[in-house]
Structures are given as structure tokens and as C-alpha cells.
Amino acid sequence: MDAIEVTGLRYYGYVGFLPEEQVLGQWFEVNLTLWLDLSTVGQNDQLDDTLNYAEVVEKVQYLMETSKFKTLERLNTVIIETLLQFERVEKVRSRLIKLSPPIPGFPGHVMIDMTRER
């Protein structure tokens, strides 16, 4: 199966267990792999036969900037469920990264990596 990758989506969001995370917010990054059949558009070069990834970016941006969940797992699930509603998309992998988790002495990132299909 073919895939389109949309990476480096960075948005300020309000997801986290601590109350201040849902009030003050923080930066997140989303990296997506969307599996679909690209054979027709590969032959005929017609935009109607592929995925409009501008719409994908718009949907993810809206979810990232407006959602208030306690867990990254829930947000990532909602992102995947939303993207699986696109007609051509058969499978989605979403890697949701909390860029600065509030963990004392931890300078790294936390990533939730989930893959779901219809």
C-alpha cells in the first residue's frame, strides 16, 4: 500500500494531566503516515484521485489547538479517528510528541506512537 507522510506539524495545545498544562498550554508536534492507494493518481495526475493533505493539516491543527484532554493517548486517538474519516485513507500512523513534558530533570520528549486502520 502507498503512503503519504505529513511531518513536523507543530501546534500550541492544552493537553496534560496537570491543571496548569490545560491552562498554560505547551508545544506539541505531530508526524503522520497515511496509507491509501495512489496508483490511479500516479497514472492520471488528477488531484481528485488523491488525498488533499491541506485538509489533513487543517483538521490536525484544529484538534491540537482546541482539545483539552488529560492524556496524549486520548488526543492521538481522536486525531487518528478523524483522519480515518477521509474517504481514501485506509490506515493512519500518528506520532504525537510532547516537546517539553513537565518532568523534573528530564530534558527529552515523550512520544505516543499509534497505528489504526479501518
Side-chain angles (χ1 to χ4, degrees):
M1 190 177 300
D2 308 313
I4 294 175
E5 291 200 20
V6 182
T7 62
L9 302 171
R10 286 191 178 212
Y11 301 108
Y12 203 80
Y14 301 89
V15 174
F17 177 75
L18 300 174
E20 54 269 22
E21 290 181 284
Q22 293 192 5
V23 174
L24 301 174
Q26 59 194 298
W27 286 99
F28 296 88
E29 182 174 315
V30 181
N31 297 294
L32 303 167
T33 304
L34 305 141
W35 282 272
L36 61 157
D37 183 358
L38 298 174
S39 60
T40 301
V41 71
Q43 294 297 316
N44 69 18
D45 200 28
Q46 297 298 309
L47 291 175
D48 289 340
D49 291 324
T50 192
L51 176 68
N52 182 341
Y53 38 86
E55 289 180 16
V56 168
V57 170
E58 184 179 293
K59 295 270 188 194
V60 172
Q61 180 178 4
Y62 175 79
L63 290 170
M64 293 300 302
E65 293 178 346
T66 63
S67 297
K68 290 199 176 193
F69 298 115
K70 291 180 182 173
T71 66
L72 294 174
E73 292 85 349
R74 178 65 187 139
L75 176 57
N76 213 23
T77 297
V78 170
I79 290 170
I80 290 172
E81 289 172 347
T82 299
L83 298 179
L84 282 172
Q85 292 176 16
F86 282 88
E87 180 182 344
R88 287 180 165 69
V89 176
E90 296 295 325
K91 183 176 172 181
V92 176
R93 179 182 184 196
S94 178
R95 292 157 306 239
L96 175 60
I97 304 166
K98 184 181 274 194
L99 296 171
S100 299
I103 302 170
F106 177 65
H109 311 304
V110 173
M111 179 174 64
I112 303 298
D113 186 343
M114 300 169 83
T115 303
R116 301 287 185 273
E117 57 187 287
R118 290 183 196 231

